[in-house]
mmCIF file of all heavy atoms in Angstrom:
data_model
loop_
_atom_site.group_PDB
_atom_site.id
_atom_site.type_symbol
_atom_site.label_atom_id
_atom_site.label_comp_id
_atom_site.label_asym_id
_atom_site.label_seq_id
_atom_site.Cartn_x
_atom_site.Cartn_y
_atom_site.Cartn_z
ATOM 1 N N VAL T 95 44.128 -65.608 36.872
ATOM 2 C CA VAL T 95 43.871 -66.349 35.566
ATOM 3 C C VAL T 95 42.823 -67.494 35.712
ATOM 4 O O VAL T 95 42.885 -68.221 36.756
ATOM 5 C CB VAL T 95 45.230 -66.917 35.101
ATOM 6 C CG1 VAL T 95 44.995 -67.738 33.722
ATOM 7 C CG2 VAL T 95 46.199 -65.842 34.879
ATOM 8 N N GLU T 96 42.001 -67.566 34.742
ATOM 9 C CA GLU T 96 41.043 -68.706 34.640
ATOM 10 C C GLU T 96 41.017 -69.396 33.358
ATOM 11 O O GLU T 96 41.109 -68.650 32.386
ATOM 12 C CB GLU T 96 39.541 -68.225 34.973
ATOM 13 C CG GLU T 96 39.422 -67.703 36.380
ATOM 14 C CD GLU T 96 37.990 -67.172 36.579
ATOM 15 O OE1 GLU T 96 37.004 -67.661 35.823
ATOM 16 O OE2 GLU T 96 37.730 -66.419 37.498
ATOM 17 N N PRO T 97 40.970 -70.694 33.284
ATOM 18 C CA PRO T 97 40.876 -71.348 31.933
ATOM 19 C C PRO T 97 39.578 -71.041 31.219
ATOM 20 O O PRO T 97 38.618 -70.739 31.830
ATOM 21 C CB PRO T 97 40.887 -72.854 32.347
ATOM 22 C CG PRO T 97 41.304 -72.937 33.662
ATOM 23 C CD PRO T 97 41.005 -71.708 34.324
ATOM 24 N N LEU T 98 39.705 -70.862 29.961
ATOM 25 C CA LEU T 98 38.530 -70.728 29.079
ATOM 26 C C LEU T 98 38.235 -72.101 28.386
ATOM 27 O O LEU T 98 39.101 -72.857 28.231
ATOM 28 C CB LEU T 98 38.883 -69.637 27.935
ATOM 29 C CG LEU T 98 38.760 -68.207 28.391
ATOM 30 C CD1 LEU T 98 39.327 -67.361 27.229
ATOM 31 C CD2 LEU T 98 37.464 -67.783 28.690
ATOM 32 N N ALA T 99 37.014 -72.194 27.979
ATOM 33 C CA ALA T 99 36.669 -73.394 27.220
ATOM 34 C C ALA T 99 37.397 -73.392 25.943
ATOM 35 O O ALA T 99 37.748 -72.395 25.380
ATOM 36 C CB ALA T 99 35.187 -73.411 27.006
ATOM 37 N N PRO T 100 37.771 -74.594 25.532
ATOM 38 C CA PRO T 100 38.514 -74.726 24.179
ATOM 39 C C PRO T 100 37.629 -74.094 23.080
ATOM 40 O O PRO T 100 36.445 -74.156 23.080
ATOM 41 C CB PRO T 100 38.702 -76.237 23.940
ATOM 42 C CG PRO T 100 38.575 -76.809 25.315
ATOM 43 C CD PRO T 100 37.723 -75.896 26.023
ATOM 44 N N ASN T 101 38.321 -73.499 22.117
ATOM 45 C CA ASN T 101 37.649 -72.994 20.920
ATOM 46 C C ASN T 101 37.677 -74.136 19.972
ATOM 47 O O ASN T 101 38.710 -74.562 19.369
ATOM 48 C CB ASN T 101 38.484 -71.685 20.414
ATOM 49 C CG ASN T 101 37.904 -71.180 19.143
ATOM 50 O OD1 ASN T 101 37.036 -71.738 18.556
ATOM 51 N ND2 ASN T 101 38.381 -70.062 18.755
ATOM 52 N N PRO T 102 36.478 -74.569 19.616
ATOM 53 C CA PRO T 102 36.415 -75.740 18.727
ATOM 54 C C PRO T 102 36.921 -75.380 17.367
ATOM 55 O O PRO T 102 37.233 -76.261 16.594
ATOM 56 C CB PRO T 102 34.895 -76.111 18.677
ATOM 57 C CG PRO T 102 34.102 -74.896 19.174
ATOM 58 C CD PRO T 102 35.093 -74.197 20.054
ATOM 59 N N ASN T 103 36.909 -74.205 16.971
ATOM 60 C CA ASN T 103 37.425 -73.727 15.620
ATOM 61 C C ASN T 103 38.735 -73.262 15.522
ATOM 62 O O ASN T 103 39.183 -72.793 14.526
ATOM 63 C CB ASN T 103 36.425 -72.541 15.080
ATOM 64 C CG ASN T 103 35.030 -72.912 15.080
ATOM 65 O OD1 ASN T 103 34.679 -73.972 14.661
ATOM 66 N ND2 ASN T 103 34.183 -71.966 15.644
ATOM 67 N N ALA T 104 39.448 -73.396 16.661
ATOM 68 C CA ALA T 104 40.905 -72.929 16.743
ATOM 69 C C ALA T 104 41.723 -73.667 15.678
ATOM 70 O O ALA T 104 41.702 -74.939 15.518
ATOM 71 C CB ALA T 104 41.454 -73.122 18.059
ATOM 72 N N ARG T 105 42.577 -72.943 15.014
ATOM 73 C CA ARG T 105 43.529 -73.374 14.095
ATOM 74 C C ARG T 105 44.816 -73.969 14.814
ATOM 75 O O ARG T 105 45.433 -74.802 14.266
ATOM 76 C CB ARG T 105 43.977 -72.383 13.095
ATOM 77 C CG ARG T 105 42.770 -72.019 12.134
ATOM 78 C CD ARG T 105 42.894 -70.673 11.625
ATOM 79 N NE ARG T 105 42.392 -69.694 12.566
ATOM 80 C CZ ARG T 105 42.207 -68.421 12.396
ATOM 81 N NH1 ARG T 105 42.454 -67.990 11.140
ATOM 82 N NH2 ARG T 105 41.841 -67.579 13.226
ATOM 83 N N HIS T 106 44.979 -73.611 16.053
ATOM 84 C CA HIS T 106 46.207 -74.005 16.786
ATOM 85 C C HIS T 106 45.564 -74.437 18.154
ATOM 86 O O HIS T 106 44.903 -73.714 18.800
ATOM 87 C CB HIS T 106 47.116 -73.032 16.919
ATOM 88 C CG HIS T 106 47.615 -72.338 15.584
ATOM 89 N ND1 HIS T 106 48.476 -73.074 14.756
ATOM 90 C CD2 HIS T 106 47.228 -71.273 15.021
ATOM 91 C CE1 HIS T 106 48.649 -72.338 13.700
ATOM 92 N NE2 HIS T 106 47.840 -71.195 13.709
ATOM 93 N N LYS T 107 45.847 -75.677 18.590
ATOM 94 C CA LYS T 107 45.275 -76.200 19.821
ATOM 95 C C LYS T 107 46.042 -75.778 21.001
ATOM 96 O O LYS T 107 46.733 -76.584 21.672
ATOM 97 C CB LYS T 107 45.237 -77.689 19.699
ATOM 98 C CG LYS T 107 44.304 -78.224 18.417
ATOM 99 C CD LYS T 107 42.999 -77.733 18.552
ATOM 100 C CE LYS T 107 42.072 -78.151 17.365
ATOM 101 N NZ LYS T 107 40.935 -77.420 17.248
ATOM 102 N N LEU T 108 45.727 -74.544 21.271
ATOM 103 C CA LEU T 108 46.507 -73.964 22.531
ATOM 104 C C LEU T 108 45.469 -73.852 23.653
ATOM 105 O O LEU T 108 44.191 -73.855 23.366
ATOM 106 C CB LEU T 108 47.010 -72.586 22.175
ATOM 107 C CG LEU T 108 48.090 -72.558 21.061
ATOM 108 C CD1 LEU T 108 48.492 -71.055 20.758
ATOM 109 C CD2 LEU T 108 49.246 -73.389 21.426
ATOM 110 N N ARG T 109 45.836 -73.803 24.856
ATOM 111 C CA ARG T 109 45.003 -73.598 26.048
ATOM 112 C C ARG T 109 44.775 -72.132 26.145
ATOM 113 O O ARG T 109 45.737 -71.404 26.279
ATOM 114 C CB ARG T 109 45.730 -74.159 27.281
ATOM 115 C CG ARG T 109 45.462 -75.464 27.861
ATOM 116 C CD ARG T 109 44.067 -75.937 27.799
ATOM 117 N NE ARG T 109 43.545 -75.898 29.123
ATOM 118 C CZ ARG T 109 42.387 -75.322 29.451
ATOM 119 N NH1 ARG T 109 41.553 -74.690 28.615
ATOM 120 N NH2 ARG T 109 41.889 -75.367 30.705
ATOM 121 N N ARG T 110 43.534 -71.813 26.318
ATOM 122 C CA ARG T 110 43.145 -70.354 26.430
ATOM 123 C C ARG T 110 42.834 -70.014 27.838
ATOM 124 O O ARG T 110 42.296 -70.869 28.568
ATOM 125 C CB ARG T 110 41.966 -70.013 25.496
ATOM 126 C CG ARG T 110 42.101 -70.220 24.121
ATOM 127 C CD ARG T 110 41.009 -69.849 23.313
ATOM 128 N NE ARG T 110 39.660 -70.169 23.896
ATOM 129 C CZ ARG T 110 38.554 -69.560 23.624
ATOM 130 N NH1 ARG T 110 38.482 -68.476 22.781
ATOM 131 N NH2 ARG T 110 37.388 -69.884 24.146
ATOM 132 N N PHE T 111 43.253 -68.834 28.324
ATOM 133 C CA PHE T 111 42.973 -68.307 29.644
ATOM 134 C C PHE T 111 42.487 -66.842 29.554
ATOM 135 O O PHE T 111 42.985 -66.121 28.655
ATOM 136 C CB PHE T 111 44.307 -68.327 30.474
ATOM 137 C CG PHE T 111 44.773 -69.783 30.657
ATOM 138 C CD1 PHE T 111 45.725 -70.300 29.790
ATOM 139 C CD2 PHE T 111 44.392 -70.436 31.745
ATOM 140 C CE1 PHE T 111 46.148 -71.551 29.980
ATOM 141 C CE2 PHE T 111 44.903 -71.780 32.056
ATOM 142 C CZ PHE T 111 45.818 -72.270 31.152
ATOM 143 N N THR T 112 41.555 -66.623 30.404
ATOM 144 C CA THR T 112 41.261 -65.202 30.537
ATOM 145 C C THR T 112 42.006 -64.695 31.827
ATOM 146 O O THR T 112 42.136 -65.422 32.824
ATOM 147 C CB THR T 112 39.738 -64.998 30.732
ATOM 148 O OG1 THR T 112 39.431 -63.555 30.852
ATOM 149 C CG2 THR T 112 39.182 -65.625 31.851
ATOM 150 N N ALA T 113 42.373 -63.469 31.878
ATOM 151 C CA ALA T 113 43.171 -62.899 32.928
ATOM 152 C C ALA T 113 42.624 -61.526 33.402
ATOM 153 O O ALA T 113 42.436 -60.651 32.495
ATOM 154 C CB ALA T 113 44.644 -62.799 32.513
ATOM 155 N N THR T 114 42.433 -61.336 34.646
ATOM 156 C CA THR T 114 42.068 -60.075 35.132
ATOM 157 C C THR T 114 43.270 -59.408 35.791
ATOM 158 O O THR T 114 43.958 -60.086 36.577
ATOM 159 C CB THR T 114 40.966 -60.250 36.272
ATOM 160 O OG1 THR T 114 39.852 -60.943 35.650
ATOM 161 C CG2 THR T 114 40.419 -58.870 36.841
ATOM 162 N N ILE T 115 43.482 -58.278 35.602
ATOM 163 C CA ILE T 115 44.586 -57.535 35.963
ATOM 164 C C ILE T 115 44.353 -57.055 37.462
ATOM 165 O O ILE T 115 43.277 -56.387 37.720
ATOM 166 C CB ILE T 115 44.938 -56.212 35.196
ATOM 167 C CG1 ILE T 115 45.360 -56.674 33.807
ATOM 168 C CG2 ILE T 115 46.025 -55.310 35.866
ATOM 169 C CD1 ILE T 115 45.581 -55.549 32.855
#
Side-chain angles (χ1 to χ4, degrees):
V95 179
E96 294 181 21
L98 284 171
N101 177 350
N103 302 315
R105 291 157 280 192
H106 307 281
K107 300 302 179 194
L108 301 175
R109 262 318 255 128
R110 298 184 318 153
F111 296 88
T112 185
T114 301
I115 296 171

